[in-house]
Amino acid sequence: MISGFSSLIGAALFAALPLGYQLDISRTKVPTLDTLKSRVDVLSTLGFTEFQLYTEHTFKYSKHETVWRYSSPMTSEEIKELDAYCESKGIELVPNQNSFAHFGRWLRHPEYNCLAEMPQGGAVIKPWGNFVLPRPDTLNPTDPRSLELVEGLYDELLPCFKSKKINVGCDEALEIEFADGTGRSHKEIAEKGAHRVYFEYLMKLHAACEKRGVSMMFWADGFLKHPEMVKELPENVVGLDWGYEATTDFSRNGKAFREAKRKFRVCPGTSAWGSLFGRYDNMTQNVDNAFKAAEEYGADGLLLADWGDGGHPQPWLVSLPALVYVSLKAKGVEAPTKAEVAAKIDEITGGKIGNELIEIGNLYKIAGGRQGNSTELYHMLVDSSSYQYRDGATKESVNVATDRYYELRIKMNSQAEKKEIKTWVKEDLALLDLLASAVQYKNECGQVNNFRAFYEPAYREIWLKQNRPGGLDESVTNVFGR
């Protein structure tokens, strides 16, 4: 039986198990090296032992400038410096390179498009309401050139890290998982089934990792639709079981891994992306569910996911309550109270803002409307002029939420220790103010012609204080329109 949560209690919960955090640096926002080091400082204070930078195209691969040219990518020298800094803080920097799906930023270019499962795009995802993927997103798993490309990336990326692990991604291989017979692997899928085609490619990635002396972890969402296959995984592979909602039940997959005696980690989320201001109550329930399943089924660790969907407009401060909540639970606090979380936020930020930040993280409930990795406040801002209120949200409810935001910010300004509060916190609060103003303006006036012009200059100025310029133009367009 693998070691896991069930053999550990109280403050020793993560003494022998990885407590990890993954930051998305591929959805436009690539932090500067100094910013990343400041994130590591916070992770170290909270007791995290692993850090991953989710990468699709934002590493400066020497032979692939076409892909990263406008993204201000991480260089090998920067990775090595960050790796050493992490080591000095007791944190393992783990390489993370998606190797199957979410490959659209490669496949959109002519020299790589030939490796796509569906080179012309247009995959119809029926379970998502017949959602259409406009561009190719997934490598063709049956084309040997796909593996050749990925192995070349490993050869350049892995030597930058001391870690002997790698997260190869492989989540949401939608053009395989929901194959309709139009992809390049349609014959193999018809003969073997999509799950078997997926697994065979996964095992090729595993062999590539073994050859390079690193162990593999992967996002196991598509694979786990056939839990009977878990026993076929090599014993040194770690499956990453992710789910980001309060309703996520990690027990089904945990049971499959335990019965097969295979390693897995539970992977809840910060609930920050797609929200602007956070989803605090959703996050706490999601994390609680993950810990419960991890303890019951003997997980090998936890990886907290933090994504940057839709141009990554939210500041990192919005993710801090989740980091604190996970940290407290890992140290044996079974049900961290808002007061306990707020006190730790105050300690980290240098200002008495924790209580208000948590309340801001629940504005999505006041506004009402949609959930599921997004909030009505987020859609109010980023959706086009065709925006419509959803699921009970109204103009009035959104106004109540933004009015409450400003009440909380006034309290934060009066309570903050001006001389002690961290600079990055002040910058993040300024971004929150800008986003709240933009939501309120759009709620009252709609998508008027001068909307982007009014907010873009301040957004750019704040962005460049912590992040590289690559991706900024795309983020501005995503958030404020064309």
Side-chain angles (χ1 to χ4, degrees), residues 268-286:
T270 62
S271 295
W273 67 94
S275 73
L276 301 183
F277 308 106
R279 293 189 294 152
Y280 185 85
D281 284 355
N282 180 83
M283 176 276 294
T284 59
Q285 186 60 58
N286 178 226

Side-chain angles (χ1 to χ4, degrees), residues 205-416:
L205 293 178
H206 173 254
C209 293
E210 289 285 289
K211 181 180 178 181
R212 290 159 179 81
V214 294
S215 60
M216 183 181 86
M217 59 183 75
F218 75 105
W219 297 114
D221 47 293
F223 176 78
L224 284 170
K225 292 186 177 180
H226 295 269
E228 71 279 0
M229 292 178 61
V230 174
K231 63 181 181 295
E232 298 184 46
L233 284 172
E235 292 187 1
N236 66 338
V237 170
V238 177
L240 301 174
D241 183 19
W242 63 268
Y244 308 132
E245 296 307 304
T247 55
T248 299
D249 182 2
F250 293 90
S251 62
R252 173 180 177 270
N253 296 334
K255 181 179 180 181
F257 277 104
R258 183 182 67 180
E259 291 179 348
K261 298 182 179 180
R262 293 298 185 269
K263 297 178 181 179
F264 77 102
R265 296 189 190 181
V266 289
C267 305
T270 62
S271 295
W273 67 94
S275 73
L276 301 183
F277 308 106
R279 293 189 294 152
Y280 185 85
D281 284 355
N282 180 83
M283 176 276 294
T284 59
Q285 186 60 58
N286 178 226
V287 170
D288 287 348
N289 293 345
F291 269 83
K292 180 180 178 181
E295 182 174 1
E296 184 173 358
Y297 297 105
D300 191 59
L302 181 146
L303 179 65
L304 180 66
D306 200 1
W307 300 102
D309 299 31
H312 211 146
Q314 79 278 1
W316 194 67
L317 185 64
V318 173
S319 299
L320 186 57
L323 288 158
V324 170
Y325 192 82
V326 167
S327 170
L328 291 172
K329 286 188 72 74
K331 293 174 181 177
V333 182
E334 183 176 350
T337 65
K338 289 181 178 179
E340 290 171 317
V341 175
K344 194 65 178 179
I345 291 173
D346 292 345
E347 176 186 328
I348 290 170
T349 61
K352 296 180 180 180
I353 64 172
N355 286 320
E356 290 72 29
L357 186 62
I358 289 171
E359 279 203 57
I360 286 172
N362 275 332
L363 291 178
Y364 75 102
K365 300 173 73 174
I366 297 175
R370 72 197 88 188
Q371 294 185 40
N373 287 348
S374 65
T375 68
E376 199 69 26
L377 296 169
Y378 169 83
H379 286 282
M380 165 62 68
L381 179 58
V382 305
D383 284 2
S384 67
S385 56
S386 61
Y387 167 81
Q388 294 182 344
Y389 298 97
R390 288 268 300 274
D391 305 328
T394 64
K395 183 176 182 178
E396 291 72 25
S397 67
V398 172
N399 274 336
V400 171
T402 55
D403 287 346
R404 180 57 180 158
Y405 172 83
Y406 288 113
E407 292 173 2
L408 293 167
R409 282 291 286 119
I410 291 171
K411 293 179 66 176
M412 292 168 82
N413 285 334
S414 66
Q415 295 177 10

Side-chain angles (χ1 to χ4, degrees), residues 27 54 98 101-102 169-174 198 219 221 242 307:
R27 312 293 170 78
Y54 171 75
N98 216 329
H102 293 292
C170 297
D171 59 317
E172 297 183 322
L174 302 178
Y198 174 97
W219 297 114
D221 47 293
W242 63 268
W307 300 102

